[in-house]
Amino acid sequence: MALNEHRIPSCLAYAGPWAVFFGFKWLTYRRNWLISRKIKAMQVDCVLDFGAGEGFWLRYAQRMWPHCRWVAVEPNVDLADFVAATSSAEVWAEYRPKEWGEIQGKASKPAIWLFSVLPYLPEPEKCLADWSEHSQMGTELYIYQPIHERQLIGLYRRWFNRGASYETAQGRRNRYDWKGLQALLQQASWQVVESEPIYGTWGILSHELWGMAVLLFGKKGWRWAGLLGMLLLWPFVLLLAVLDAIFPPKSPETANGVWVRANKAKP
């Protein structure tokens, strides 16, 4: 199983492991560069962070908008407790459509966040339709979504498919290409107004090199080898991520990830 927030919620309460986890997660995943840049450009006063995890982005954004109202939806009890203890967000174990409707109805710039969440929802079509139904006009839906999932390194592909990766551990159910994601949003009455691709060839190589070290770290008896792999590969991973930023994919059709901003469509 990979080293991530869904495996080690108890470790996140300690400053040392959290600092290491935060630093590596921030620097090694190109998607985080993109999401942080997009968050800084947002104009919101009320946010529903669905699938908040350990509250990584919620706490990051709270420093910028201290007066924004935050609702985090996280079914994992340990993670939900961690978010409640380390942020000012109201934490729900499940989505409450009536309460969210009342909360965002009082806001002028409400938003819903879905950062790498759609693959794990049992009924994404229903969730998206419910959010649209209970949202006022002007509500924005922000999504970061892995798509296509093209894999380049054969060893990574074998380890990922055979091992207990974090995707399998979290119960991934859905895979999307760009056209499929657009159709999913359109059917649920969300109109895409902005999209930005991420993870072209350089980014995929960066992600897979780091993923191999992380998977090795999570394998019983191989932790020290995985840690050494992280230390040795990190400069190359970072270099490849920089190259992905300099030479990004030209469209979501050729990318392995996409940022989407959508508005509730007019009836």
Side-chain angles (χ1 to χ4, degrees):
M1 189 185 300
L3 172 67
N4 66 25
E5 62 272 28
H6 295 271
R7 182 185 182 192
I8 54 168
S10 60
C11 292
L12 301 181
Y14 300 96
W18 171 249
V20 173
F21 173 79
F22 182 92
F24 275 115
K25 183 173 182 178
W26 186 268
L27 292 171
T28 54
Y29 292 108
R30 254 276 289 155
R31 64 173 180 263
N32 292 344
W33 304 7
L34 173 71
I35 294 174
S36 64
R37 174 162 52 86
K38 295 297 184 180
I39 284 179
K40 290 177 182 177
M42 289 182 189
Q43 298 293 325
V44 295
D45 59 4
C46 175
V47 173
L48 176 72
D49 187 357
F50 192 89
E54 87 291 4
F56 183 85
W57 292 114
L58 186 147
R59 284 192 304 279
Y60 171 77
Q62 279 185 336
R63 294 194 294 269
M64 288 180 277
W65 311 309
H67 302 297
C68 182
R69 182 164 185 179
W70 302 91
V71 178
V73 180
E74 178 48 58
N76 182 304
V77 176
D78 291 329
L79 293 175
D81 289 344
F82 181 76
V83 173
T86 57
S87 76
S88 60
E90 181 178 346
V91 183
W92 298 346
E94 59 183 16
Y95 174 57
R96 305 173 189 172
K98 183 178 180 181
E99 290 186 41
W100 169 242
E102 293 174 352
I103 290 171
Q104 60 94 37
K106 299 175 183 178
S108 59
K109 297 176 182 178
I112 300 171
W113 287 2
L114 293 174
F115 298 158
S116 299
V117 170
L118 285 176
Y120 307 103
L121 297 180
E123 297 180 289
E125 301 88 350
K126 182 178 183 300
C127 289
L128 288 166
D130 284 346
W131 290 322
S132 177
E133 180 182 352
H134 295 101
S135 294
Q136 64 186 31
M137 294 303 300
T139 298
E140 292 193 311
L141 180 67
Y142 294 98
I143 297 174
Y144 171 76
Q145 179 60 46
I147 53 176
H148 302 129
E149 300 184 40
R150 180 166 55 104
Q151 295 174 332
L152 300 177
I153 302 175
L155 183 59
Y156 172 80
R157 185 184 304 114
R158 288 195 293 273
W159 285 6
F160 183 86
N161 291 331
R162 295 177 184 178
S165 67
Y166 53 88
E167 278 85 356
T168 57
Q170 293 169 214
R172 181 177 58 180
R173 298 174 173 87
N174 315 299
R175 298 173 185 262
Y176 300 100
D177 59 17
W178 175 230
K179 289 183 179 179
L181 179 60
Q182 287 178 298
L184 180 69
L185 293 168
Q186 184 178 9
Q187 290 167 7
S189 298
W190 292 99
Q191 180 180 5
V192 175
V193 295
E194 177 192 355
S195 64
E196 183 171 336
I198 189 172
Y199 287 129
T201 299
W202 297 114
I204 295 171
L205 289 172
S206 173
H207 183 87
E208 291 184 0
L209 281 176
W210 183 251
M212 289 168 65
V214 170
L215 287 169
L216 192 62
F217 183 88
K219 187 175 177 61
K220 188 176 181 179
W222 289 86
R223 180 148 296 184
W224 284 107
L227 181 59
L228 180 61
M230 289 182 186
L231 295 174
L232 293 175
L233 288 173
W234 187 51
F236 299 100
V237 169
L238 194 57
L239 173 61
L240 289 168
V242 170
L243 289 173
D244 189 63
I246 297 173
F247 306 106
K250 295 181 179 180
S251 75
E253 293 285 358
T254 60
N256 263 30
V258 65
W259 168 269
V260 173
R261 179 169 63 91
N263 288 336
K264 179 177 177 178
K266 294 182 180 179

